[in-house]
Amino acid sequence: MKRTLAVAAGLTAVALTLTACSGEGSPNEGSSTSPTELKIGNFMDLTSWDTAVADIGFNGPYLSAVYDPLIALDGEGKPVPALATDWTVSEDFLTVTLELRTDAVFSDGEKFDADAAVANLEYLRDGAVSREAYLNVESFTAVDEDTVEIDLSARDDRLLYFMGLGRSYMAAPSAIEAGTLAEAPVGSGPYTLSESSIPGAEYHFDRVADHWAADEFRFEKVSVLPIQDDSARNNAMEAGQINVTFADDTTVEMAEQNGWSTESKVAAWIGLRINDHTGEQLEPLGDVRVRQALNYAFDGAEILSSLGRDRGEVTNQVFAVGFPGNDPALDDRCAYDMEKAKELMAEAGYADGFEVAMPMSGPFQTWQPTVEQVFQELGIRVTWDEYQFTDYQSNAPNYPMFIVSLAVDSDPVATIARQFTVPQWYMPEPDISEFPELQSQVDAALEAPRGEEQEAEIRELNEMVTEQAWNVVWYQSANTYVTTPDIELTPVTGMMFPTLRQIQPAA
């Protein structure tokens, strides 16, 4: 196989889940004193101030400035206290009890208490996007002023993780009732949105001096500038207009030259998403040998090196590298072997390949030549249906398989939901239930006692879906961030851009 892979210029990998800047400054060359202003160069604009419809994605810096969550995540993706100071889970896993702070106040003067928390949780449960976290919730109850009880219809080990990921931001109940959250945020967060902000161009935040967690948010001012163009974002970083940025290859090179700090962590898996494991749409995909052949045929290490600039980890798994569920021993399954791939295709009765239609859009053109080259060697004849990027998300799931960059989660139970069992935009009709052995192992993993026993069951599930070649994973890409030396940033797998809790003045 000739592995002459096309190289993408200036690509920023986009995990599909989902401008000019201004300001004075000088080149950031480091400082011996702590910075007073945090100036973030984000890759995407805010989707909404409305906590029920805002996509988690790149909204972390915006939302975490003005809203406090009940539960947050630490750098390893573990739930940690915020407005909820503690929680307990009942022995039958059907009741979660939250103990709340009593010293938080919304920016409109309303006091945060259990009634406010319940109003928010009910709003989030009904939200078009936020409801993902509360699928198994039957009710929320304010037990007393500082205690909330969450009653579940079924055990749900994802709940606390999803709440911490960005699905428990608290807004003023009056703003929820008025239906005005999309217009302007009213939260109890460490900052308030400044009137000097220009939607779509620059967002400025003023510090709340008496915020209950003021010691955890030490910047006097925060600005977030959505700069979609990579070059413009890099220029802003070099000019000192921003001191934190979502990085591309050029940014990393600039960091080495300027003495900036660089942090990265796995964020998404790259490859072919297979939605038709039964072969109902495309008969060949119903044969595990064909799916295995596709896995053998792609050289993930070479794709990561040539197209991913070695910013990521070679793996054939959807469970995040370095987190529970992922098993490095499985990465040799279906290791690159084109001859083996051809043998499997022949055994399955497709020695001459087959025809397939797949969707294509701008962000995925990087990998298009590689797919064409590999398919050609296997005799697979592909027809590409072109879509605008904004239409790709709604159309791609109608195809039996398609190229994706999908966010991975640090929590393995969340991975089971998002990759196998719960409908998503990329998986509107999960078909794992059509495979009794796999469904049985899913149930075993979700029902096992938490801890080592559950992790063992999850690894067993991972081995089974890997053997079944459920998807064609080439590698897991890493999100990279660059900061000036006086700022420390902690990436969080599961968040496309960290919240303000993960961005602090350097010690």
Side-chain angles (χ1 to χ4, degrees):
M1 174 184 179
K2 295 181 180 178
R3 291 177 287 175
T4 53
L5 304 178
V7 176
L11 173 86
T12 301
V14 179
L16 298 177
T17 41
L18 234 289
T19 325
C21 64
S22 66
E24 299 179 357
S26 56
N28 288 314
E29 297 178 354
S31 171
S32 58
T33 59
S34 295
T36 58
E37 184 173 1
L38 175 63
K39 298 172 288 186
I40 298 173
N42 205 337
F43 175 67
M44 296 289 283
D45 191 12
L46 171 82
T47 57
S48 178
W49 291 116
D50 189 334
T51 55
V53 300
D55 184 22
I56 294 173
F58 288 86
N59 280 328
Y62 306 103
L63 299 182
S64 64
V66 296
Y67 296 119
D68 286 321
L70 286 174
I71 297 172
L73 294 184
D74 65 14
E76 294 304 312
K78 301 294 185 182
V80 294
L83 286 176
T85 59
D86 194 14
W87 52 83
T88 56
V89 180
S90 63
E91 290 186 5
D92 64 1
F93 301 102
L94 297 181
T95 303
V96 179
T97 304
L98 305 177
E99 301 298 333
L100 308 180
R101 304 192 66 86
T102 59
D103 54 354
V105 180
F106 296 106
S107 59
D108 66 352
E110 286 187 81
K111 178 179 172 58
F112 170 76
D113 57 16
D115 288 333
V118 167
N120 274 272
L121 289 168
E122 291 177 342
Y123 182 66
L124 293 169
R125 181 182 56 184
D126 296 335
V129 179
S130 57
R131 65 186 301 269
E132 174 189 28
Y134 304 101
L135 296 179
N136 292 312
V137 172
E138 281 193 339
S139 64
F140 303 101
T141 304
V143 178
D144 53 38
E145 185 180 16
D146 58 359
T147 308
V148 167
E149 185 175 280
I150 304 175
D151 292 313
L152 305 174
S153 58
R155 174 179 171 180
D156 192 344
D157 294 346
R158 307 164 304 160
L159 176 64
L160 297 175
Y161 169 77
F162 278 144
M163 291 177 72
L165 195 60
R167 294 298 178 223
S168 66
Y169 284 121
M170 298 286 102
S174 59
I176 294 175
E177 185 176 353
T180 58
L181 278 185
E183 303 168 16
V186 185
S188 64
Y191 300 89
T192 56
L193 182 66
S194 171
E195 293 182 357
S196 64
S197 299
I198 303 173
E202 51 191 64
Y203 299 86
H204 303 288
F205 304 92
D206 299 320
R207 191 167 187 246
V208 177
D210 55 352
H211 184 261
W212 62 269
D215 290 344
E216 299 178 37
F217 300 92
R218 293 182 289 162
F219 295 101
E220 289 299 322
K221 292 186 177 182
V222 172
S223 298
V224 184
L225 310 182
I227 310 174
Q228 296 183 357
D229 182 77
D230 294 344
S231 297
R233 202 167 56 251
N234 290 332
N235 290 339
M237 184 74 182
E238 194 159 44
Q241 294 173 315
I242 57 177
N243 50 20
V244 174
T245 184
F246 188 85
D248 65 357
D249 295 330
T250 301
T251 325
V252 174
E253 294 176 3
M254 293 169 60
E256 295 178 357
Q257 298 167 2
N258 289 277
W260 299 334
S261 301
T262 302
E263 296 290 345
S264 64
K265 191 169 285 187
V266 292
W269 71 264
I270 313 296
L272 300 179
R273 167 81 202 180
I274 296 177
N275 272 2
D276 184 24
H277 302 96
T278 62
E280 183 176 345
Q281 289 179 271
L282 185 63
E283 184 176 348
L285 290 182
D287 193 314
V288 66
R289 293 168 295 184
V290 171
R291 301 197 302 268
Q292 290 172 342
L294 292 174
N295 275 266
Y296 278 113
F298 285 91
D299 188 343
E302 178 66 16
I303 298 173
L304 174 58
S305 176
S306 297
L307 302 184
R309 301 295 201 277
D310 287 321
R311 284 165 50 195
E313 300 286 343
V314 179
T315 184
N316 56 5
Q317 303 165 58
V318 297
F319 287 87
V321 173
F323 292 92
N326 184 281
D327 184 354
L330 296 177
D331 287 332
D332 288 334
R333 301 281 179 94
C334 297
Y336 172 66
D337 187 337
M338 180 57 75
E339 292 307 311
K340 178 67 173 178
K342 292 179 179 178
E343 289 175 10
L344 286 168
M345 290 286 286
E347 289 177 14
Y350 300 100
D352 296 326
F354 52 84
E355 295 183 355
V356 61
M358 294 175 62
M360 178 48 58
S361 185
F364 303 100
Q365 291 174 353
T366 301
W367 301 287
Q368 185 177 4
T370 301
V371 173
E372 291 176 342
Q373 180 176 314
V374 170
F375 278 12
Q376 184 177 14
E377 291 208 41
L378 295 177
I380 300 174
R381 299 165 295 283
V382 59
T383 300
W384 299 101
D385 294 338
E386 298 289 338
Y387 292 97
Q388 295 293 325
F389 178 56
T390 52
D391 297 324
Y392 189 88
Q393 184 166 325
S394 59
N395 286 281
N398 297 324
Y399 292 80
M401 64 178 172
F402 46 98
I403 301 174
V404 292
S405 170
L406 289 180
V408 295
D409 286 284
S410 54
D411 184 277
V413 178
T415 298
I416 293 174
R418 285 178 159 175
Q419 300 293 340
F420 305 119
T421 64
V422 178
Q424 310 287 334
W425 73 260
Y426 47 85
M427 184 180 61
E429 296 181 4
D431 63 358
I432 199 165
S433 62
E434 300 293 328
F435 298 78
E437 289 187 5
L438 292 181
Q439 183 62 56
S440 176
Q441 188 56 39
V442 166
D443 296 340
L446 297 181
E447 295 168 3
R450 292 176 178 173
E452 293 183 3
E453 188 171 339
Q454 185 178 54
E455 290 181 12
E457 295 289 358
I458 292 174
R459 286 195 299 273
E460 176 65 22
L461 171 63
N462 188 20
E463 182 173 8
M464 292 172 68
V465 294
T466 300
E467 187 64 30
Q468 282 287 319
W470 206 247
N471 294 294
V472 186
V473 181
W474 303 329
Y475 62 93
Q476 290 183 12
S477 65
N479 276 356
T480 302
Y481 312 88
V482 166
T483 73
T484 50
D486 49 7
I487 293 175
E488 292 181 348
L489 180 148
T490 302
V492 179
T493 293
M495 294 181 181
M496 289 305 293
F497 210 110
T499 67
L500 297 189
R501 289 176 178 274
Q502 280 81 38
I503 308 174
Q504 298 288 334

